[in-house]
Amino acid sequence: DAGITQSPRHKVTETGTPVTLRCHQTENHRYMYWYRQDPGHGLRLIHYSYGVKDTDKGEVSDGYSVSRSKTEDFLLTLESATSSQTSVYFCAISEFGAEQYFGPGTRLTVT
Amino acid sequence: QQPVQSPQAVILREGEDAVINCSSSKALYSVHWYRQKHGEAPVFLMILLKGGEQKGHEKISASFNEKKQQSSLYLTASQLSYSGTYFCGTEIPQGAQKLVFGQGTRLTINP
């Protein structure tokens, strides 16, 4: 299994608070992705990174920002959490932009 | 634009066959297939590249019709372990190194 961890695994936060989710890999893969998964919507790309400090927006990037200062870490930040951001968040990595390997997910609840 | 999967759900008895379709309104360059079991992360199954390529994975195979902009996943003699939600992901545009996923097809295999 690809070495991907996400932290925290579960989080409950209040509307308006900032939240940062962390994805950490030990595979030295170039590409990293953040998805959210909601019932009926499948997996939707939030942001992705194609190298250190190189990031780009995905389909549902509004309200989210990312940073990648090291190859192994990709951070997703919700500047001011809203109830619509309650979801399961998955990080994924890929070496050549081909098959993606997913982390275990973070369940975020915004009350 | 999100590819469309059909059917949305299917229930089978062990040993029966299933077909899951993935269609896109845009030109496809590659199609990825993933399986996700309840409460777990998606797991990569296979990639198909343009050219009508077929691939197999255990008793799971897939085809890719570039002209029709669609891919199909075939599960033969289904096993209980095949239960889960199947997602197709399409790379748009070519070389984008990112995927747009369909909404998923829930497959239930009963003994």
Side-chain angles (χ1 to χ4, degrees):
Chain A
D1 291 342
I4 316 170
T5 57
Q6 293 184 229
S7 58
R9 293 293 312 280
H10 302 272
K11 186 170 182 65
V12 179
T13 191
E14 293 183 349
T15 298
T17 60
V19 177
T20 295
L21 308 183
R22 180 184 184 229
C23 178
H24 178 77
Q25 62 149 327
T26 57
E27 304 295 322
N28 201 36
H29 283 358
R30 177 182 176 187
Y31 296 90
M32 298 186 75
Y33 308 84
W34 275 109
Y35 294 93
R36 61 176 291 173
Q37 185 172 39
D38 306 287
H41 290 280
L43 294 152
R44 291 184 292 176
L45 182 65
I46 305 172
H47 283 280
Y48 69 106
S49 170
Y50 46 94
V52 173
K53 298 185 178 180
D54 292 322
T55 65
D56 204 351
K57 295 179 179 180
E59 310 163 65
V60 290
S61 60
D62 287 348
Y64 302 94
S65 62
V66 290
S67 66
R68 191 174 179 193
S69 58
K70 299 184 291 184
T71 298
E72 57 266 35
D73 290 325
F74 193 32
L75 303 180
L76 177 70
T77 297
L78 292 67
E79 300 293 345
S80 178
T82 67
S83 58
S84 64
Q85 293 176 312
T86 291
S87 186
V88 178
Y89 291 85
F90 285 102
C91 172
I93 64 174
S94 175
E95 174 63 355
F96 301 111
E99 60 263 39
Q100 296 186 14
Y101 299 96
F102 286 79
T106 293
R107 185 174 295 276
L108 176 68
T109 302
V110 183
T111 62
Chain B
Q1 190 164 355
Q2 188 177 36
V4 177
Q5 292 184 230
S6 63
Q8 290 189 340
V10 59
I11 300 174
L12 300 174
R13 287 190 180 275
E14 196 173 7
E16 293 181 337
D17 300 339
V19 180
I20 299 172
N21 300 304
C22 175
S23 298
S24 175
S25 59
K26 296 191 175 184
L28 295 177
Y29 302 99
S30 68
V31 178
H32 300 220
W33 286 98
Y34 291 78
R35 177 172 63 203
Q36 183 180 30
K37 293 187 178 290
H38 183 69
E40 299 181 6
V43 174
F44 170 77
L45 291 176
M46 66 187 76
I47 293 178
L48 297 101
L49 305 176
K50 63 178 180 179
E53 184 177 357
Q54 280 193 292
K55 280 200 168 186
H57 175 78
E58 298 175 344
K59 292 183 180 178
I60 302 173
S61 61
S63 63
F64 178 21
N65 189 318
E66 181 187 349
K67 289 185 177 179
K68 292 185 178 180
Q69 298 173 182
Q70 68 182 35
S71 176
S72 295
L73 187 71
Y74 307 95
L75 299 96
T76 58
S78 57
Q79 306 170 12
L80 295 176
S81 62
Y82 289 178
S83 291
T85 301
Y86 289 78
F87 294 97
C88 67
T90 57
E91 182 187 2
I92 300 173
Q94 183 180 14
Q97 313 293 4
K98 60 180 180 178
L99 300 176
V100 179
F101 285 92
Q103 80 280 16
T105 295
R106 177 175 289 184
L107 175 65
T108 302
I109 308 296
N110 293 320

Short mmCIF file of all heavy atoms in Angstrom, two decimals, chain A residues 50-103:
data_model
loop_
_atom_site.label_atom_id
_atom_site.label_comp_id
_atom_site.label_asym_id
_atom_site.label_seq_id
_atom_site.Cartn_x
_atom_site.Cartn_y
_atom_site.Cartn_z
N TYR A 50 1.26 19.84 -8.54
CA TYR A 50 2.13 19.12 -9.46
C TYR A 50 3.59 19.33 -9.12
O TYR A 50 4.48 19.06 -9.95
CB TYR A 50 1.82 19.50 -10.92
CG TYR A 50 1.68 20.97 -11.18
CD1 TYR A 50 2.76 21.73 -11.62
CD2 TYR A 50 0.45 21.61 -10.99
CE1 TYR A 50 2.63 23.08 -11.86
CE2 TYR A 50 0.31 22.97 -11.23
CZ TYR A 50 1.40 23.70 -11.67
OH TYR A 50 1.27 25.05 -11.90
N GLY A 51 3.85 19.81 -7.92
CA GLY A 51 5.21 19.98 -7.44
C GLY A 51 5.21 20.90 -6.25
O GLY A 51 4.17 21.52 -5.92
N VAL A 52 6.37 21.01 -5.60
CA VAL A 52 6.48 21.90 -4.45
C VAL A 52 6.15 23.32 -4.88
O VAL A 52 6.70 23.82 -5.87
CB VAL A 52 7.91 21.83 -3.85
CG1 VAL A 52 8.07 22.88 -2.76
CG2 VAL A 52 8.18 20.44 -3.31
N LYS A 53 5.22 23.91 -4.16
CA LYS A 53 4.74 25.28 -4.39
C LYS A 53 3.99 25.46 -5.71
O LYS A 53 3.68 26.59 -6.10
CB LYS A 53 5.90 26.29 -4.30
CG LYS A 53 6.55 26.32 -2.92
CD LYS A 53 7.60 27.41 -2.81
CE LYS A 53 8.19 27.44 -1.40
NZ LYS A 53 9.23 28.48 -1.24
N ASP A 54 3.71 24.36 -6.40
CA ASP A 54 2.94 24.42 -7.65
C ASP A 54 1.57 23.80 -7.42
O ASP A 54 1.46 22.58 -7.25
CB ASP A 54 3.66 23.66 -8.77
CG ASP A 54 4.93 24.34 -9.19
OD1 ASP A 54 4.95 25.59 -9.22
OD2 ASP A 54 5.90 23.63 -9.49
N THR A 55 0.55 24.65 -7.42
CA THR A 55 -0.80 24.16 -7.19
C THR A 55 -1.76 24.76 -8.19
O THR A 55 -1.46 25.78 -8.82
CB THR A 55 -1.29 24.50 -5.76
OG1 THR A 55 -1.39 25.92 -5.62
CG2 THR A 55 -0.35 23.94 -4.71
N ASP A 56 -2.93 24.12 -8.32
CA ASP A 56 -3.94 24.63 -9.23
C ASP A 56 -5.31 24.25 -8.70
O ASP A 56 -5.45 23.35 -7.88
CB ASP A 56 -3.74 24.06 -10.63
CG ASP A 56 -4.36 24.95 -11.71
OD1 ASP A 56 -5.07 25.93 -11.35
OD2 ASP A 56 -4.13 24.70 -12.90
N LYS A 57 -6.32 24.97 -9.19
CA LYS A 57 -7.68 24.75 -8.71
C LYS A 57 -8.32 23.56 -9.39
O LYS A 57 -8.01 23.23 -10.54
CB LYS A 57 -8.52 26.00 -8.98
CG LYS A 57 -8.07 27.23 -8.20
CD LYS A 57 -8.95 28.42 -8.54
CE LYS A 57 -8.51 29.65 -7.74
NZ LYS A 57 -9.36 30.83 -8.06
N GLY A 58 -9.27 22.97 -8.66
CA GLY A 58 -10.10 21.92 -9.22
C GLY A 58 -11.51 22.41 -9.44
O GLY A 58 -11.76 23.61 -9.57
N GLU A 59 -12.46 21.48 -9.45
CA GLU A 59 -13.86 21.81 -9.74
C GLU A 59 -14.54 22.64 -8.67
O GLU A 59 -15.42 23.46 -8.96
CB GLU A 59 -14.69 20.52 -9.89
CG GLU A 59 -14.13 19.46 -10.79
CD GLU A 59 -14.81 18.13 -10.52
OE1 GLU A 59 -16.04 18.02 -10.76
OE2 GLU A 59 -14.13 17.20 -10.04
N VAL A 60 -14.18 22.41 -7.40
CA VAL A 60 -14.92 23.01 -6.28
C VAL A 60 -13.95 23.69 -5.32
O VAL A 60 -13.90 23.37 -4.13
CB VAL A 60 -15.78 21.95 -5.56
CG1 VAL A 60 -16.94 21.51 -6.43
CG2 VAL A 60 -14.95 20.74 -5.14
N SER A 61 -13.20 24.65 -5.81
CA SER A 61 -12.13 25.26 -5.02
C SER A 61 -12.58 26.44 -4.15
O SER A 61 -11.84 26.85 -3.25
CB SER A 61 -11.01 25.72 -5.96
OG SER A 61 -11.52 26.66 -6.90
N ASP A 62 -13.75 26.97 -4.40
CA ASP A 62 -14.19 28.15 -3.63
C ASP A 62 -14.27 27.83 -2.14
O ASP A 62 -14.87 26.84 -1.73
CB ASP A 62 -15.57 28.62 -4.11
CG ASP A 62 -15.49 29.30 -5.46
OD1 ASP A 62 -14.37 29.61 -5.90
OD2 ASP A 62 -16.55 29.53 -6.06
N GLY A 63 -13.64 28.68 -1.31
CA GLY A 63 -13.66 28.48 0.14
C GLY A 63 -12.52 27.65 0.66
O GLY A 63 -12.41 27.43 1.86
N TYR A 64 -11.66 27.17 -0.26
CA TYR A 64 -10.52 26.33 0.12
C TYR A 64 -9.22 26.93 -0.42
O TYR A 64 -9.19 27.52 -1.49
CB TYR A 64 -10.66 24.93 -0.47
CG TYR A 64 -11.89 24.16 -0.08
CD1 TYR A 64 -13.01 24.18 -0.90
CD2 TYR A 64 -11.92 23.39 1.07
CE1 TYR A 64 -14.15 23.47 -0.57
CE2 TYR A 64 -13.04 22.67 1.42
CZ TYR A 64 -14.16 22.70 0.59
OH TYR A 64 -15.27 21.99 0.92
N SER A 65 -8.15 26.72 0.34
CA SER A 65 -6.82 27.06 -0.14
C SER A 65 -5.89 25.90 0.20
O SER A 65 -6.20 25.08 1.07
CB SER A 65 -6.30 28.36 0.47
OG SER A 65 -6.19 28.24 1.88
N VAL A 66 -4.77 25.82 -0.50
CA VAL A 66 -3.82 24.74 -0.28
C VAL A 66 -2.41 25.29 -0.25
O VAL A 66 -2.13 26.39 -0.72
CB VAL A 66 -3.92 23.65 -1.37
CG1 VAL A 66 -5.22 22.86 -1.27
CG2 VAL A 66 -3.73 24.25 -2.75
N SER A 67 -1.54 24.49 0.32
CA SER A 67 -0.12 24.82 0.30
C SER A 67 0.69 23.55 0.27
O SER A 67 0.30 22.53 0.85
CB SER A 67 0.26 25.67 1.51
OG SER A 67 0.13 24.94 2.70
N ARG A 68 1.82 23.63 -0.42
CA ARG A 68 2.74 22.49 -0.48
C ARG A 68 4.16 23.05 -0.43
O ARG A 68 4.71 23.45 -1.45
CB ARG A 68 2.51 21.68 -1.75
CG ARG A 68 3.26 20.35 -1.73
CD ARG A 68 2.89 19.52 -2.92
NE ARG A 68 3.60 18.25 -2.93
CZ ARG A 68 3.65 17.46 -3.98
NH1 ARG A 68 3.05 17.81 -5.10
NH2 ARG A 68 4.31 16.32 -3.91
N SER A 69 4.72 23.02 0.75
CA SER A 69 6.07 23.55 0.94
C SER A 69 7.12 22.45 0.89
O SER A 69 8.33 22.74 0.75
CB SER A 69 6.15 24.30 2.28
OG SER A 69 5.81 23.42 3.34
N LYS A 70 6.66 21.20 1.01
CA LYS A 70 7.55 20.06 0.91
C LYS A 70 6.89 19.00 0.05
O LYS A 70 5.66 18.94 -0.02
CB LYS A 70 7.84 19.46 2.30
CG LYS A 70 8.53 20.42 3.26
CD LYS A 70 8.87 19.72 4.56
CE LYS A 70 7.64 19.39 5.37
NZ LYS A 70 7.98 18.81 6.70
N THR A 71 7.69 18.17 -0.58
CA THR A 71 7.14 17.12 -1.44
C THR A 71 6.14 16.25 -0.69
O THR A 71 5.11 15.86 -1.23
CB THR A 71 8.26 16.23 -1.99
OG1 THR A 71 9.15 17.02 -2.78
CG2 THR A 71 7.70 15.09 -2.85
N GLU A 72 6.41 15.95 0.56
CA GLU A 72 5.61 14.98 1.28
C GLU A 72 4.33 15.53 1.92
O GLU A 72 3.48 14.76 2.32
CB GLU A 72 6.46 14.31 2.37
CG GLU A 72 7.09 15.27 3.36
CD GLU A 72 8.51 15.67 2.97
OE1 GLU A 72 8.76 15.80 1.75
OE2 GLU A 72 9.34 15.87 3.88
N ASP A 73 4.17 16.83 2.00
CA ASP A 73 3.02 17.39 2.70
C ASP A 73 2.17 18.31 1.82
O ASP A 73 2.71 19.17 1.12
CB ASP A 73 3.46 18.20 3.93
CG ASP A 73 4.00 17.32 5.03
OD1 ASP A 73 3.48 16.20 5.19
OD2 ASP A 73 4.93 17.76 5.73
N PHE A 74 0.86 18.09 1.89
CA PHE A 74 -0.08 18.90 1.13
C PHE A 74 -1.19 19.30 2.10
O PHE A 74 -1.89 18.43 2.63
CB PHE A 74 -0.62 18.09 -0.04
CG PHE A 74 -1.37 18.87 -1.08
CD1 PHE A 74 -1.05 20.18 -1.37
CD2 PHE A 74 -2.38 18.26 -1.82
CE1 PHE A 74 -1.72 20.89 -2.36
CE2 PHE A 74 -3.06 18.96 -2.81
CZ PHE A 74 -2.73 20.28 -3.08
N LEU A 75 -1.32 20.57 2.37
CA LEU A 75 -2.26 21.06 3.36
C LEU A 75 -3.49 21.67 2.68
O LEU A 75 -3.36 22.41 1.71
CB LEU A 75 -1.60 22.11 4.25
CG LEU A 75 -0.34 21.70 5.00
CD1 LEU A 75 0.17 22.86 5.84
CD2 LEU A 75 -0.59 20.48 5.86
N LEU A 76 -4.65 21.36 3.23
CA LEU A 76 -5.91 21.95 2.76
C LEU A 76 -6.47 22.81 3.89
O LEU A 76 -6.64 22.33 5.01
CB LEU A 76 -6.91 20.85 2.40
CG LEU A 76 -8.30 21.32 1.97
CD1 LEU A 76 -8.24 21.99 0.59
CD2 LEU A 76 -9.28 20.14 1.94
N THR A 77 -6.75 24.07 3.59
CA THR A 77 -7.26 24.98 4.61
C THR A 77 -8.63 25.52 4.23
O THR A 77 -8.85 25.95 3.10
CB THR A 77 -6.30 26.17 4.81
OG1 THR A 77 -5.04 25.68 5.29
CG2 THR A 77 -6.86 27.16 5.84
N LEU A 78 -9.53 25.45 5.19
CA LEU A 78 -10.82 26.10 5.07
C LEU A 78 -10.70 27.37 5.91
O LEU A 78 -10.59 27.31 7.14
CB LEU A 78 -11.95 25.22 5.62
CG LEU A 78 -12.29 23.94 4.85
CD1 LEU A 78 -11.18 22.90 4.90
CD2 LEU A 78 -13.59 23.35 5.41
N GLU A 79 -10.67 28.51 5.27
CA GLU A 79 -10.40 29.77 5.97
C GLU A 79 -11.47 30.09 7.00
O GLU A 79 -11.18 30.56 8.09
CB GLU A 79 -10.29 30.90 4.96
CG GLU A 79 -9.17 30.73 3.93
CD GLU A 79 -7.77 30.81 4.54
OE1 GLU A 79 -7.64 31.27 5.70
OE2 GLU A 79 -6.81 30.40 3.87
N SER A 80 -12.71 29.83 6.64
CA SER A 80 -13.84 30.08 7.53
C SER A 80 -14.89 29.02 7.23
O SER A 80 -15.66 29.16 6.28
CB SER A 80 -14.39 31.49 7.30
OG SER A 80 -15.52 31.73 8.13
N ALA A 81 -14.88 27.95 8.01
CA ALA A 81 -15.69 26.79 7.69
C ALA A 81 -17.19 27.10 7.66
O ALA A 81 -17.69 27.88 8.48
CB ALA A 81 -15.42 25.68 8.69
N THR A 82 -17.88 26.50 6.72
CA THR A 82 -19.33 26.62 6.62
C THR A 82 -19.95 25.23 6.65
O THR A 82 -19.27 24.22 6.38
CB THR A 82 -19.75 27.32 5.31
OG1 THR A 82 -19.42 26.47 4.20
CG2 THR A 82 -19.03 28.65 5.14
N SER A 83 -21.23 25.15 6.94
CA SER A 83 -21.91 23.85 7.04
C SER A 83 -21.87 23.10 5.71
O SER A 83 -21.87 21.86 5.69
CB SER A 83 -23.35 24.04 7.50
OG SER A 83 -24.05 24.87 6.61
N SER A 84 -21.80 23.82 4.60
CA SER A 84 -21.76 23.17 3.28
C SER A 84 -20.42 22.46 3.05
O SER A 84 -20.28 21.71 2.08
CB SER A 84 -22.00 24.19 2.17
OG SER A 84 -20.96 25.16 2.14
N GLN A 85 -19.45 22.71 3.90
CA GLN A 85 -18.16 22.05 3.78
C GLN A 85 -18.07 20.79 4.64
O GLN A 85 -17.02 20.14 4.68
CB GLN A 85 -17.04 23.02 4.13
CG GLN A 85 -16.92 24.15 3.12
CD GLN A 85 -15.87 25.18 3.48
OE1 GLN A 85 -15.81 25.66 4.61
NE2 GLN A 85 -15.03 25.54 2.52
N THR A 86 -19.16 20.43 5.27
CA THR A 86 -19.25 19.14 5.95
C THR A 86 -19.15 18.06 4.88
O THR A 86 -19.94 18.03 3.93
CB THR A 86 -20.57 19.00 6.72
OG1 THR A 86 -20.56 19.91 7.82
CG2 THR A 86 -20.77 17.58 7.21
N SER A 87 -18.17 17.18 5.03
CA SER A 87 -17.91 16.20 3.97
C SER A 87 -16.83 15.23 4.44
O SER A 87 -16.27 15.37 5.52
CB SER A 87 -17.45 16.93 2.70
OG SER A 87 -17.32 16.05 1.61
N VAL A 88 -16.56 14.26 3.58
CA VAL A 88 -15.39 13.40 3.76
C VAL A 88 -14.34 13.87 2.76
O VAL A 88 -14.63 13.99 1.56
CB VAL A 88 -15.72 11.93 3.54
CG1 VAL A 88 -14.45 11.08 3.69
CG2 VAL A 88 -16.79 11.47 4.53
N TYR A 89 -13.16 14.14 3.25
CA TYR A 89 -12.08 14.66 2.42
C TYR A 89 -11.01 13.58 2.21
O TYR A 89 -10.51 12.99 3.16
CB TYR A 89 -11.46 15.90 3.07
CG TYR A 89 -12.38 17.08 3.08
CD1 TYR A 89 -13.32 17.23 4.10
CD2 TYR A 89 -12.35 18.02 2.07
CE1 TYR A 89 -14.21 18.30 4.10
CE2 TYR A 89 -13.22 19.10 2.06
CZ TYR A 89 -14.14 19.23 3.07
OH TYR A 89 -15.02 20.29 3.06
N PHE A 90 -10.68 13.36 0.95
CA PHE A 90 -9.66 12.39 0.60
C PHE A 90 -8.48 13.10 -0.05
O PHE A 90 -8.66 13.96 -0.91
CB PHE A 90 -10.19 11.33 -0.37
CG PHE A 90 -11.08 10.31 0.26
CD1 PHE A 90 -12.45 10.39 0.10
CD2 PHE A 90 -10.55 9.26 0.98
CE1 PHE A 90 -13.29 9.45 0.66
CE2 PHE A 90 -11.37 8.31 1.56
CZ PHE A 90 -12.74 8.40 1.40
N CYS A 91 -7.31 12.66 0.34
CA CYS A 91 -6.09 13.07 -0.33
C CYS A 91 -5.67 11.91 -1.23
O CYS A 91 -5.92 10.74 -0.92
CB CYS A 91 -5.01 13.35 0.70
SG CYS A 91 -3.37 13.64 0.03
N ALA A 92 -5.05 12.22 -2.35
CA ALA A 92 -4.54 11.18 -3.25
C ALA A 92 -3.19 11.61 -3.78
O ALA A 92 -2.87 12.80 -3.85
CB ALA A 92 -5.51 10.94 -4.40
N ILE A 93 -2.37 10.61 -4.14
CA ILE A 93 -1.07 10.89 -4.72
C ILE A 93 -0.93 10.11 -6.03
O ILE A 93 -1.60 9.10 -6.25
CB ILE A 93 0.08 10.51 -3.76
CG1 ILE A 93 0.11 9.01 -3.49
CG2 ILE A 93 -0.02 11.30 -2.48
CD1 ILE A 93 1.31 8.55 -2.67
N SER A 94 -0.05 10.61 -6.87
CA SER A 94 0.21 9.96 -8.15
C SER A 94 1.62 10.29 -8.59
O SER A 94 2.07 11.42 -8.42
CB SER A 94 -0.82 10.45 -9.18
OG SER A 94 -0.55 9.93 -10.46
N GLU A 95 2.27 9.31 -9.20
CA GLU A 95 3.65 9.55 -9.61
C GLU A 95 3.72 10.29 -10.94
O GLU A 95 4.37 11.30 -11.07
CB GLU A 95 4.41 8.22 -9.70
CG GLU A 95 5.81 8.35 -10.25
CD GLU A 95 6.75 9.20 -9.41
OE1 GLU A 95 6.31 9.81 -8.42
OE2 GLU A 95 7.93 9.31 -9.75
N PHE A 96 3.04 9.77 -11.94
CA PHE A 96 3.09 10.38 -13.27
C PHE A 96 1.75 10.96 -13.69
O PHE A 96 1.51 11.13 -14.86
CB PHE A 96 3.54 9.34 -14.29
CG PHE A 96 4.88 8.75 -13.99
CD1 PHE A 96 4.98 7.43 -13.58
CD2 PHE A 96 6.02 9.50 -14.10
CE1 PHE A 96 6.21 6.87 -13.29
CE2 PHE A 96 7.26 8.97 -13.81
CZ PHE A 96 7.36 7.64 -13.40
N GLY A 97 0.89 11.23 -12.72
CA GLY A 97 -0.44 11.70 -13.05
C GLY A 97 -1.32 10.60 -13.58
O GLY A 97 -2.35 10.85 -14.17
N ALA A 98 -0.91 9.35 -13.35
CA ALA A 98 -1.69 8.21 -13.81
C ALA A 98 -2.54 7.69 -12.65
O ALA A 98 -3.35 8.40 -12.11
CB ALA A 98 -0.78 7.14 -14.38
N GLU A 99 -2.38 6.41 -12.28
CA GLU A 99 -3.19 5.88 -11.21
C GLU A 99 -2.96 6.66 -9.92
O GLU A 99 -1.84 7.03 -9.60
CB GLU A 99 -2.92 4.39 -10.98
CG GLU A 99 -1.51 4.04 -10.63
CD GLU A 99 -0.72 3.59 -11.83
OE1 GLU A 99 -0.92 4.19 -12.92
OE2 GLU A 99 0.08 2.68 -11.70
N GLN A 100 -4.07 6.86 -9.23
CA GLN A 100 -4.00 7.62 -7.99
C GLN A 100 -4.20 6.69 -6.80
O GLN A 100 -4.99 5.75 -6.85
CB GLN A 100 -5.07 8.72 -7.98
CG GLN A 100 -4.86 9.75 -9.07
CD GLN A 100 -5.82 10.91 -9.00
OE1 GLN A 100 -6.52 11.13 -8.00
NE2 GLN A 100 -5.87 11.71 -10.05
N TYR A 101 -3.48 6.98 -5.73
CA TYR A 101 -3.59 6.21 -4.49
C TYR A 101 -4.14 7.14 -3.42
O TYR A 101 -3.61 8.23 -3.21
CB TYR A 101 -2.23 5.66 -4.08
CG TYR A 101 -1.65 4.74 -5.12
CD1 TYR A 101 -0.74 5.21 -6.06
CD2 TYR A 101 -2.04 3.40 -5.20
CE1 TYR A 101 -0.22 4.38 -7.04
CE2 TYR A 101 -1.53 2.57 -6.17
CZ TYR A 101 -0.62 3.06 -7.09
OH TYR A 101 -0.14 2.25 -8.06
N PHE A 102 -5.20 6.67 -2.79
CA PHE A 102 -5.94 7.51 -1.87
C PHE A 102 -5.56 7.26 -0.41
O PHE A 102 -5.27 6.12 -0.03
CB PHE A 102 -7.45 7.28 -2.03
CG PHE A 102 -8.01 7.88 -3.28
CD1 PHE A 102 -7.87 7.26 -4.51
CD2 PHE A 102 -8.68 9.09 -3.24
CE1 PHE A 102 -8.38 7.81 -5.67
CE2 PHE A 102 -9.21 9.67 -4.38
CZ PHE A 102 -9.05 9.02 -5.59
N GLY A 103 -5.60 8.33 0.36
CA GLY A 103 -5.44 8.23 1.79
C GLY A 103 -6.72 7.74 2.44
O GLY A 103 -7.73 7.56 1.76
#
